[in-house]
C-alpha cells in the first residue's frame, strides 16, 4: 500500500514535467508512493512521450482545467494521502520524506494536511516583484506564516500540499471554476468547516519554474478576480475576504492612474532599489478588482438570463 499518490495535472509543459518526474525518481528516504499524471488536453508532445514513460500512471482528458484533472487523478489513486504538485514545481530530494514526517507526527490524522514551501529556483534571476508575490500573498504568502504553524484555509496551495485521499474523494474540487484560480481555496474552505488543519512544513520544498512579470501577473490577477465572483456566488459569506465589499465602497483608478502605477511597478521590477511593495500591491489589487467587477456582472447576467 502506497502512503502517497503524487497527482500532477499538466498542460503543454512537457520539458518541465519531465524535470518534475526525474526529481520524484530521485527522492531520498521517501515512503512508498505512486505518480499519477493527468494530461489536461495538451497540444504538445505530452501524450506520446508520457505514454512511453514507465513507472507512472498516465491518463489524458479533454481540457477541463486543473480542478477536473486533480479529481481525475484522485479517482485513480490508491495512496493513503494525495500529494498535489504542479507540472512546473520541481521537488527537492527530501520533499516526500518531509511530507511523510508531518503525517506521521499527526498519527495519520485524516484531517491533517501538510503544506510545503514553494520557492523560486536557486541560481536563476528573481526580481523584487517575483519575491513579493511569492512572499506576501498575491501568489503565495510564505513570509506571512511560520514553519510548523497551523495555517488558515487560504494557504491551501496545490503546488505543494498533501491531504487524505478519502477526504478528497468525498469533497472533490469544484469544476465550475474555468481557470486555475480559487478552485483550491474553495475546496479548503469547505474542508475547513469539517475541521481540516493545514500544517506548514518549510522543509518540504518545491521550486517553481514559472517566472512572472508585472504584466503577466496583472493579467493573472484579472482572471483571479473573475473567478472570485464565482467563489462569492457559492459562498456569499466570504464577501469581505473576496473583496466584494471593497469593490462596492471604493473608486477604481482611471486608465491614466493605472498607467502611472504600471510604470512605477515596471521600474521596481527592473531595478531592485526602486521596488516599492505598496506599488506592486496597489497595481495588482486594481487588476483583481476589475476582474471581480466584470465577473460579478457576468454572474448577474447569467442569473438574470436563467430567470
Amino acid at each position: 500500500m502506497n502512503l502517497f499518490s503524487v497527482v500532477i495535472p499538466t498542460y503543454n509543459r512537457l520539458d518541465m514535467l519531465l524535470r518534475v518526474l526525474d526529481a520524484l525518481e530521485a527522492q531520498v528516504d521517501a515512503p512508498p508512493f505512486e505518480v499519477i499524471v493527468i494530461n489536461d488536453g495538451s497540444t504538445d508532445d505530452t501524450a506520446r512521450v508520457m505514454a512511453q514513460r514507465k513507472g507512472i500512471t498516465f491518463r489524458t482528458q479533454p481540457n477541463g482545467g486543473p480542478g477536473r484533472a486533480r479529481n481525475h487523478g484522485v479517482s485513480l489513486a490508491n495512496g493513503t494521502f494525495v500529494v498535489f504538485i504542479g507540472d512546473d514545481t520541481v521537488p527537492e530530494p527530501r520533499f516526500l520524506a518531509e511530507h511523510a514526517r508531518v503525517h506521521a507526527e499527526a498519527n495519520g490524522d485524516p484531517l491533517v494536511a501538510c503544506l510545503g514551501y514553494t520557492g523560486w529556483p536557486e541560481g536563476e534571476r528573481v526580481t523584487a516583484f517575483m519575491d513579493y508575490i511569492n512572499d506576501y500573498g498575491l501568489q503565495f504568502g510564505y513570509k506571512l506564516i511560520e514553519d510548523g504553524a497551523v495555517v488558515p484555509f487560504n494557504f491551501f496551495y496545490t503546488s505543494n500540499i498533501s491531504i487524505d485521499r478519502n477526504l478528497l474523494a468525498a469533497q472533490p474540487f469544484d469544476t465550475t471554476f474555468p481557470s486555475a484560480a480559487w478552485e483550491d481555496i474553495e475546496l479548503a474552505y469547505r474542508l475547513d468547516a469539517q475541521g481540516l488543519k493545514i500544517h506548514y512544513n518549510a522543509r518540504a520544498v518545491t521550486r517553481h519554474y514559472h517566472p512572472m512579470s508585472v504584466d503577466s501577473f496583472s493579467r493573472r490577477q484579472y482572471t483571479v478576480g473573475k473567478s472570485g465572483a464565482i467563489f462569492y456566488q457559492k459562498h456569499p459569506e466570504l464577501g469581505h475576504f473576496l473583496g466584494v465589499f471593497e469593490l462596492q465602497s471604493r473608486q477604481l483608478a482611471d486608465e491614466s492612474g493605472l498607467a502611472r502605477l504600471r510604470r512605477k511597478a515596471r521600474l521596481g521590477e527592473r531595478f531592485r532599489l526602486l521596488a516599492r511593495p505598496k506599488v506592486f500591491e496597489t497595481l495588482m489589487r486594481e487588476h483583481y478588482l476589475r476582474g471581480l467587477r466584470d465577473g460579478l456582472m457576468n454572474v448577474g447576467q447569467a442569473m438574470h438570463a436563467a430567470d
Side-chain angles (χ1 to χ4, degrees), residues 7-11 36-41 59 61-76 84 173 175:
V7 172
I8 309 169
T10 189
Y11 179 72
I36 301 170
V37 177
I38 304 298
N39 176 27
D40 189 33
R59 299 288 188 276
Q61 66 177 30
N63 183 256
R68 190 179 300 277
R70 293 189 201 107
N71 288 345
H72 190 173
V74 170
S75 75
L76 301 171
F84 290 121
F173 289 89
T175 59

Side-chain angles (χ1 to χ4, degrees), residues 174-217:
D174 186 322
T175 59
T176 59
F177 289 89
S179 305
W182 288 124
E183 83 290 346
D184 45 4
I185 306 304
E186 192 276 336
L187 168 64
Y189 179 64
R190 285 184 276 124
L191 294 177
D192 182 72
Q194 296 188 14
L196 181 70
K197 299 292 186 292
I198 305 171
H199 292 239
Y200 174 43
N201 179 6
R203 286 177 281 183
V205 178
T206 57
R207 296 294 173 183
H208 193 196
Y209 286 79
H210 193 158
M212 287 284 183
S213 69
V214 165
D215 292 339
S216 67
F217 203 75

Side-chain angles (χ1 to χ4, degrees), residues 7 19 21 27 72 94 101 110-111 130 161 169-170 185 196 229 236 241 261 280 288 295 303:
V7 172
R19 292 186 65 173
L21 295 177
Q27 290 294 289
H72 190 173
R94 292 194 57 80
R101 180 175 64 82
L111 286 173
M130 288 168 63
I161 200 160
I185 306 304
L196 181 70
F241 169 74
L261 279 170
F280 294 152
Y288 172 82
M303 293 177 64

Side-chain angles (χ1 to χ4, degrees), residues 42-269:
S42 296
T43 57
D44 62 5
D45 217 18
T46 295
R48 183 186 66 81
V49 173
M50 286 297 103
Q52 299 171 9
R53 181 100 181 192
K54 303 201 181 293
I56 67 170
T57 298
F58 176 73
R59 299 288 188 276
T60 293
Q61 66 177 30
N63 183 256
R68 190 179 300 277
R70 293 189 201 107
N71 288 345
H72 190 173
V74 170
S75 75
L76 301 171
N78 65 28
T80 303
F81 298 95
V82 171
V83 182
F84 290 121
I85 57 176
D87 59 359
D88 57 0
T89 53
V90 178
E92 294 199 342
R94 292 194 57 80
F95 167 72
L96 289 176
E98 285 296 325
H99 273 275
R101 180 175 64 82
V102 169
H103 289 291
E105 290 174 355
N107 296 315
D109 186 341
L111 286 173
V112 166
C114 174
L115 169 71
Y117 174 73
T118 300
W120 300 114
E122 295 176 340
E124 298 204 0
R125 180 176 182 268
V126 176
T127 67
F129 175 72
M130 288 168 63
D131 275 339
Y132 183 74
I133 63 174
N134 202 74
D135 292 343
Y136 292 104
L138 290 179
Q139 180 164 255
F140 304 122
Y142 286 109
K143 285 197 174 176
L144 304 176
I145 56 179
E146 295 183 0
D147 186 24
V150 175
V151 300
F153 70 90
N154 53 304
F155 287 88
F156 191 92
Y157 302 146
T158 47
S159 62
N160 185 344
I161 200 160
S162 55
I163 185 170
D164 183 78
R165 174 174 57 87
N166 290 329
L167 196 60
L168 288 171
Q171 291 281 348
F173 289 89
D174 186 322
T175 59
T176 59
F177 289 89
S179 305
W182 288 124
E183 83 290 346
D184 45 4
I185 306 304
E186 192 276 336
L187 168 64
Y189 179 64
R190 285 184 276 124
L191 294 177
D192 182 72
Q194 296 188 14
L196 181 70
K197 299 292 186 292
I198 305 171
H199 292 239
Y200 174 43
N201 179 6
R203 286 177 281 183
V205 178
T206 57
R207 296 294 173 183
H208 193 196
Y209 286 79
H210 193 158
M212 287 284 183
S213 69
V214 165
D215 292 339
S216 67
F217 203 75
S218 293
R219 293 189 294 271
R220 170 174 165 73
Q221 285 301 95
Y222 178 82
T223 299
V224 172
K226 291 191 75 172
S227 286
I230 299 171
F231 198 171
Y232 175 63
Q233 183 185 25
K234 297 175 185 296
H235 302 285
E237 69 276 14
L238 292 177
H240 178 74
F241 169 74
L242 292 167
V244 175
F245 301 150
E246 178 185 356
L247 183 63
Q248 294 170 346
S249 63
R250 61 167 282 184
Q251 183 76 29
L252 294 177
D254 59 22
E255 289 306 312
S256 62
L258 199 64
R260 285 193 298 271
L261 279 170
R262 189 176 295 112
R263 285 194 296 271
K264 290 179 181 179
R266 286 171 176 165
L267 280 173
E269 179 179 44

